[in-house]
Amino acid sequence: MAGKDRILVLGPTGAIGRHIVWASVKAGNPTYVLVRDTPPTVNKPRLVTAANPETREELLQNFQNSGVFLIQGDMNDHQSLVNAIKQVDVVICSFGRLLIEDQVKIIAAIKEAGNIKRFFPSEFGLDVDRQDAVEPVREVFEEKAKIRRIIEAEGVPYTYLCCHAFTGYFLRNLAQIDTTVPPRDKIFIQGDGNVKGAYVTEADVGTYTVEAVNDPNTLNKAVHIRLPANYLSLNEIVSLWEKKIGKSIEKIYVPEEEVLKNIQELSFPNNYLLALYHSQQIRGDAVYEIDPTKDVEASQAYPHVKYTTVDEYLNQFL
């Protein structure tokens, strides 16, 4: 029996990359990460820090202690990227929004290396081919869609991972701007609160991503993570939270026109986060039908995975 595919993670210390690395190690896939000598300085929302408190240095040391292969290289150094890619079977990119377009460099390196079975571009959000987002999110979604088209045109084998709303961004604060814990007295709900959203922990995104790596049925398809217990409206989540804390919360519903005005007036990262909330919670960009010819629903494909439910996730804040 052949061994499991070797996985290279690009962006391994980011909010999602770190969880893909750990899931790969746990699954027994030989795991490689590309490490720059000098990490870039990026303005990260406080939510990211709250959800991922480990520093880059701590992570890399923990990776190394767990048998992860650290490869020195840089996305902007074509030859070092090609050399890294030649050592593996699958490339997973988890770059942040500022580096989406730079994935053309990865595609070029994959083409030159000629050995990659699958490329997972930096998606890990709403399905960019099924969205009606506003700026500043729309531009990022369009960049991701552009990368999809380049991958397909170049004939690079791929899997797109659509996981919708990270709990670390959307759930730990019940979609409240500029806070890191669920409110206990008053909550602002964007829209009417009845639109279904899909929530998943970053660790579970890592698990499902590696499941998809090891599943030949996901080749040249999109994998959608919409877990039954976590496919909920914000009203349903607030009701669940109220039961946990044993009290009712004052609910202030914000009409879409006001949400759009707030997005225009706020600065980063709050305008970006609010636009993401608007996309999922008002426009309903997580509500769509699966096309089995090009889509895979993760909960159906991998029923053995024990994921963290919204109910379980909220218990940490009691």
Side-chain angles (χ1 to χ4, degrees):
M1 180 177 175
K4 291 190 174 182
D5 285 340
R6 299 164 296 174
I7 296 174
L8 172 65
V9 180
L10 305 177
T13 61
I16 186 62
R18 63 184 66 196
H19 296 288
I20 295 171
V21 172
W22 289 128
S24 179
V25 171
K26 184 177 180 180
N29 289 78
T31 308
Y32 299 70
V33 300
L34 190 70
V35 182
R36 293 181 56 176
D37 289 333
T38 306
T41 299
V42 180
N43 178 23
K44 295 182 178 180
R46 288 196 302 125
L47 280 167
V48 177
T49 303
N52 304 281
E54 285 179 291
T55 67
R56 177 181 183 271
E57 291 70 26
E58 289 170 341
L59 265 178
L60 293 178
Q61 187 59 58
N62 289 337
F63 288 164
Q64 203 161 21
N65 294 343
S66 300
V68 175
F69 299 96
L70 274 56
I71 304 174
Q72 292 293 327
D74 193 310
M75 179 185 62
N76 295 311
D77 181 344
H78 177 73
Q79 194 55 53
S80 74
L81 193 54
V82 171
N83 292 342
I85 288 171
K86 283 184 175 179
Q87 300 180 52
V88 300
D89 305 296
V90 175
V91 176
I92 301 175
C93 182
S94 59
F95 289 163
R97 63 183 180 84
L98 298 177
L99 298 175
I100 297 302
E101 290 185 307
D102 284 346
Q103 290 179 106
V104 294
K105 301 170 184 176
I106 301 169
I107 296 169
I110 287 173
K111 290 285 287 184
E112 181 172 329
N115 61 297
I116 292 303
K117 297 179 181 179
R118 203 97 62 87
F119 175 42
F120 286 65
S122 186
E123 294 261 343
F124 305 107
L126 293 159
D127 186 339
V128 297
D129 285 336
R130 292 180 171 108
Q131 57 85 21
D132 189 25
V134 299
E135 297 295 1
V137 168
R138 175 179 286 275
E139 180 182 8
V140 176
F141 284 178
E142 290 177 347
E143 289 172 358
K144 290 184 176 182
K146 180 181 177 181
I147 292 296
R148 285 189 179 191
R149 305 292 86 84
I150 295 173
I151 289 169
E152 294 157 6
E154 292 291 335
V156 172
Y158 65 84
T159 299
Y160 305 139
L161 208 296
C162 306
C163 62
H164 305 91
F166 294 155
T167 54
Y169 283 78
F170 284 80
L171 195 59
R172 69 178 298 119
N173 61 355
L174 300 192
Q176 303 305 286
I177 292 296
D178 205 26
T179 183
T180 60
V181 294
R184 290 174 174 261
D185 299 306
K186 179 171 65 176
I187 184 168
F188 292 88
I189 296 176
Q190 316 303 327
D192 63 13
N194 292 324
V195 178
K196 292 283 187 182
Y199 301 86
V200 61
T201 67
E202 290 84 339
D204 286 337
V205 173
T207 298
Y208 283 112
T209 300
V210 176
E211 288 283 344
V213 168
N214 294 324
D215 179 4
N217 293 322
T218 62
L219 177 63
N220 295 336
K221 290 185 178 181
V223 176
H224 304 261
I225 305 178
R226 295 186 299 181
L227 309 171
N230 294 2
Y231 196 42
L232 304 168
S233 71
L234 192 54
N235 281 335
E236 290 172 322
I237 293 172
V238 171
S239 177
L240 178 62
W241 178 240
E242 288 177 324
K243 290 177 183 177
K244 287 184 179 295
I245 63 175
K247 61 178 287 192
S248 295
I249 301 175
E250 179 187 357
K251 302 169 190 68
I252 301 172
Y253 290 89
V254 184
E256 183 175 12
E257 295 75 17
E258 188 174 341
V259 174
L260 292 171
K261 181 173 181 288
N262 291 337
I263 291 170
Q264 292 178 341
E265 293 176 351
L266 290 170
S267 58
F268 182 85
N270 288 349
N271 62 338
Y272 193 83
L273 290 170
L274 189 56
L276 284 173
Y277 297 158
H278 174 266
S279 175
Q280 172 163 278
Q281 295 173 208
I282 295 179
R283 291 289 171 87
D285 285 344
V287 181
Y288 51 82
E289 296 295 322
I290 286 291
D291 180 350
T293 65
K294 60 181 182 179
D295 299 316
V296 173
E297 189 80 76
S299 62
Q300 296 174 8
Y302 317 115
H304 57 278
V305 173
K306 173 71 171 68
Y307 63 88
T308 299
T309 66
V310 167
D311 187 25
E312 293 165 341
Y313 181 84
L314 290 174
N315 285 338
Q316 69 183 293
F317 302 106
L318 295 176

